[in-house]
Structures are given as C-alpha cells and as structure tokens.
Amino acid sequence: MTGLTAVATAGLVLVAACGSSGGGNASSTAGSTAGDGGSDSALADYQDNGITIGYANEEPYDYQDAQGNVTGMAPSVGQEILSNLDITDVTWTKVDFRGLIPGLKAGRFDMTMAAASITPERAQAVDYSDPVYCVMEAMAVKKGNPLNLSDFKSVADNPDAKLAVESGTTEQKYATAVGVAKDQLVVVNNNSALVASVKTGRADAFALTGITVRSLVKKSGDGKLVALDGFNPVIDGEEKLSCGAPQFKKGSDALLTAYNKQLDKLQKAGKVYSVVKEASPNGDAFGFAKSQFEEAKKHTFEDFANAGS
C-alpha cells in the first residue's frame, strides 16, 4: 500500500516504535513504583508545580496555532496522559529540532512532545516512552518532478540532485546511510528553510516524514511543490520503519513509568486515534490515520533502541 497513511511492516527493520508493553526502556521500570498519578509522592512535584515541555514547532506533530496554543498530534496525546496523571499546569518551550535533546539534558524542560523517532543513538542520550505512532518517509519536489526523484536512493543515484534535510533528523541519517553524498545535502535548521530551499532551487527535494511533507506542501499554497508517495528507506538491504514517542531526561523514572502506564491504557482501549481526532481543529486527526497508531501498538521501545546492536 503506497501513500502516507499506511505502514507496511513485512520484512522491516524497526527504527522507532511504540507499544503496549506498559514500559519499554530499562529506566521506565527502575527505581520507582509510580502508579497512575494522584497521590503518588514521586509525581507530586509535577502535580503541584507543573511540567515544562519542549517542542519543535513541526506541523502537524507539534506546533503553535493562530491563537498561540501549542497543539498537534503529540501534544494532544501527551496532554491527555498528563491530565490522567493529575499534571495539568504545562509550560511550553520552543526550540529547533536539533535543540530538543540538548535542552532536555540541560534541564530546560522535563520532557519533549515532538516528531522524534526512536533511534539507538538518541536512546543513549535520553529515554523515551513506548512509541505512539509509526510513519513513512517522503519527499517534496517542484511540480513536474524534473529529476524524477522518488526516495533517498534516487537522490544518491543522481550526483546532480540536491536534497534538503533538517539538521539532526533521521532523514539526514537515512539519506547518508543510503549513499547520498555530503555535497548533495543541503542541511537547514527548520521546516520553513526546507520549503524555501526547493522553491529557490537550492535543493531539488526535501525530506521529512510523509505527514509533515504533505502538511508543508499544502501550507505553501502556491502549487509549486508536490508531495511524493511515502516510502520506507532501504539500508543494507533492509527496510527501516520509523516510529516516535516523547523523550524524557535520563533518571526521570517515576514520570516515565507513570506515563507509560497511561499510554498502555489508551492503546489497549484503542483510544489514541480518537484522542487525536477530537483535538484536531477539523476532526481529521491532524492528517494521521488510525493505522499509524495501531501499528505502534505492535512494538516496544527496545525494538528501536537496540536496532542494529
């Protein structure tokens, strides 16, 4: 099945995932018996004083709307879970995507809600909950697709092709692993720069998850760009599946364990999609398909943190 609303899993190597295991990584089960919130003393500080969350302003995952509210798929699920933990006072901190992990490690915020896939490298620096969604990659090109691009390999196979990627993303990593040369990459810091790089001819395509690519193309509004079909990158002969989840500072065991328990409840009840749909302004679940949340339930944090190890 092509497109961006389905995830094919046959023969895939997992790159990031979410599951209904009730606690994926080691630190989510260590050192704490945190329950579902309420009176649990380990969560009292967050319940009493609130929580600070980092986000990267990537529509439709996590972004600030016209009224100044932070919304999107990740905040809608995350705030539902935090509310169930009696954590309702939320302060949002916006950073470039590449600033999420450094900001978390430096204590600028307590967790992140963004389009952050789980990878072994990132899992060394921060913890994740069990994943929430799984998505395909995609590229956007100028109308007519003059270089007939389709995926990272098509860029690697054409030395004249230039691909714009956002610094620190899995797309940058995937493209390099597939064989896109360093001088073929146009590395930028945000989504707006990705769009501009193709419109101005600095790059022939830009890459992100399919959901974001479609959103950016639609938002550009002038018909000059088109979103291509989704794909799972093939690296060393194996397809890679990307799934994502909130990030937590290492050692946040009580919060992470409690968060995972609530996520597990939502997933087992099949309510993640309905939560996202209800929060979206047009009732379209921010463009996500139910299958993308259902796919996530099949996996655990360890599937991706340990991939390739």
Side-chain angles (χ1 to χ4, degrees):
M1 196 175 197
T2 59
L4 305 179
T5 60
V7 180
T9 57
L12 298 187
V13 170
L14 307 181
V15 175
C18 56
S20 55
S21 63
N25 55 32
S27 67
S28 70
T29 57
S32 173
T33 57
D36 295 336
S39 62
D40 191 282
S41 59
L43 297 177
D45 183 57
Y46 299 112
Q47 292 162 344
D48 294 342
N49 302 311
I51 192 167
T52 300
I53 300 174
Y55 74 106
N57 209 39
E58 181 175 332
E59 192 173 347
Y61 288 89
D62 54 296
Y63 66 99
Q64 193 173 48
D65 64 18
Q67 291 71 46
N69 301 311
V70 177
T71 186
M73 181 278 295
S76 65
V77 177
Q79 290 194 103
E80 174 75 11
I81 291 174
L82 292 179
S83 178
N84 291 337
L85 293 172
D86 295 328
I87 302 172
T88 56
D89 182 7
V90 176
T91 299
W92 296 94
T93 300
K94 183 171 71 174
V95 297
D96 286 340
F97 184 86
R98 63 179 179 175
L100 288 171
I101 288 179
L104 193 58
K105 293 176 69 176
R108 291 186 60 198
F109 26 86
D110 303 301
M111 63 181 294
T112 73
M113 292 181 186
S117 297
I118 305 170
T119 68
E121 295 80 9
R122 292 174 182 169
Q124 291 294 313
V126 296
D127 282 333
Y128 285 81
S129 74
D130 282 331
V132 178
Y133 63 90
C134 298
V135 290
M136 286 181 169
E137 303 296 327
M139 300 194 309
V141 297
K142 283 187 176 180
K143 188 175 181 180
N145 195 6
L147 295 186
N148 196 29
L149 301 175
S150 58
D151 56 13
F152 296 136
K153 186 177 185 302
S154 69
V155 177
D157 290 344
N158 185 342
D160 294 326
K162 301 280 188 181
L163 177 67
V165 292
E166 193 170 343
S167 178
T169 60
T170 50
E171 288 75 29
Q172 182 180 14
K173 174 185 174 183
Y174 287 153
T176 301
V178 167
V180 177
K182 186 176 181 180
D183 62 4
Q184 289 182 277
L185 292 177
V186 178
V187 183
V188 300
N189 292 332
N190 54 59
N191 290 353
S192 297
L194 288 174
V195 173
S197 66
V198 177
K199 283 190 172 184
T200 61
R202 188 180 174 206
D204 301 292
F206 72 79
L208 278 171
T209 65
I211 289 285
T212 305
V213 168
R214 287 190 299 169
S215 176
L216 290 173
V217 168
K218 181 179 180 180
K219 193 174 180 180
S220 69
D222 56 12
K224 294 181 179 180
L225 301 179
V226 295
L228 303 180
D229 284 345
F231 61 92
N232 290 313
V234 178
I235 300 173
D236 296 329
E238 298 177 318
E239 285 188 79
K240 302 289 186 178
L241 174 64
S242 292
C243 303
Q247 299 166 321
F248 297 78
K249 186 176 181 179
K250 292 283 187 182
S252 302
D253 301 336
L255 178 61
L256 178 53
T257 299
Y259 193 96
N260 267 325
K261 287 182 178 180
Q262 288 295 331
L263 174 60
D264 181 49
K265 285 185 176 182
L266 283 180
Q267 289 178 328
K268 285 182 175 177
K271 292 184 177 180
V272 176
Y273 177 74
S274 61
V275 167
V276 176
K277 184 176 181 180
E278 183 176 349
S280 60
N282 301 316
D284 63 351
F286 298 102
F288 285 80
K290 187 174 183 179
S291 60
Q292 293 171 314
F293 302 112
E294 292 298 309
E295 177 62 32
K297 293 164 60 175
K298 302 175 184 178
H299 310 293
T300 67
F301 167 83
E302 285 86 354
D303 291 335
F304 305 100
N306 301 323
S309 60

